[in-house]
Amino acid sequence: MREYVIFSDSGTDISPIKAKELGVEIVDLLVIMNEETKFNREVDPKEFYAYLRNKGMATTSAVNLEGFTEAMEPTVKEGKDILYLGFSSGLSTTYNAGKLAAEELSQKYPDAKIYTVDTLCASLGQGLLVYLAAKKKAEGATIDELRDYIESIKLKLCHWFTVDDLMFLKRGGRVGAASAAVGTVLGIKPVMHVDNEGHLIKRGTARGRKNSLDAIFEKMKSSVTDTSVMWICHGDCIEDAEYLAARAKKELGVKEIFIDYTGVVIGCHSGPGTLAIFYLGNER
């Protein structure tokens, strides 16, 4: 059996340290701050959220086909196969660029297996899927088995989240200007998820921050099927992440909980105070 490597992109919000631990290659997306373009890995998340709180502006740029080709080709040249798990096509063009690069490399290296999966996931939801893939690979799964496994569970990878500042969602066109203004004044927080097409969808609202945290936790309580692992990401609000982690352990018996920052690519659109939970459930 040929050796293979799992690739993903920084839509996963997996840090370079975590990626190395998992043995996963991450293709870096780009963030533009003060008209300066930087790779995702070059930006410290805590400093990034301080920058946003000080009214700094940031936008993102997906990796193009050439960027994916440059990242993947050395692995194929070494005689290894590739499984790329990409950022939801419902939120970014990143996956499509990775898929085109894989198709071109497959023509150039016909003996290589270069598979792609549109995870229809984002942030540490995508990250959790990559983690589960790395775990399955370590257990001895072939590249074909792993691709089929990820396809079979990706629509059970639940994403529930809320934000603290609606104006960031307004900038990205996720909520209207009037709704953002009224919601800000009244302290209304959205309860949102990523649907089966990989789109960001509002599923409800809550009055006040704590109520919004409790609302997304109630979504988990009603749908979780696997309490072995849960991932949480936060936009520089670690106390809120720890609050949900404590509830998950106490009320659901979740065994393993990983907490990290919402990365800068997602954070550009969600802002400081973003809080999201990810787990396997009966459906999204």
Side-chain angles (χ1 to χ4, degrees), residues 88 118-122 125-126 129 153-160 193-199 203 223 279 281-284:
S88 171
D118 182 354
T119 68
L120 302 172
C121 295
Q126 182 184 350
L129 202 65
I153 68 168
K154 70 183 186 182
L155 295 184
K156 296 179 181 179
L157 203 301
C158 301
H159 306 54
W160 287 101
H193 87 140
V194 174
D195 68 11
N196 285 352
E197 286 73 48
H199 300 127
R203 291 291 300 272
S223 61
Y279 58 91
N282 48 27
E283 61 182 2
R284 285 197 178 181

Side-chain angles (χ1 to χ4, degrees), residues 6-15 18 22 24-29 68 83-92 94-96 117-134 150 153-154 156-160 194 198 231-233 258 263 265-266 276-280 284:
I6 298 171
F7 272 71
S8 193
D9 52 66
S10 51
T12 61
D13 286 345
I14 291 177
S15 69
K18 190 69 173 178
L22 297 176
V24 172
E25 293 291 332
I26 300 294
V27 181
D28 236 358
L29 307 184
F68 271 103
L83 175 61
Y84 167 58
L85 307 179
F87 188 11
S88 171
S89 63
L91 294 170
S92 170
T94 301
Y95 171 73
N96 291 328
V117 174
D118 182 354
T119 68
L120 302 172
C121 295
S123 189
L124 283 186
Q126 182 184 350
L128 176 53
L129 202 65
V130 170
Y131 165 80
L132 294 172
I150 294 301
I153 68 168
K154 70 183 186 182
K156 296 179 181 179
L157 203 301
C158 301
H159 306 54
W160 287 101
V194 174
W231 282 25
I232 303 174
C233 71
F258 175 70
V265 170
I266 306 296
I277 59 176
F278 310 99
Y279 58 91
L280 287 174
R284 285 197 178 181

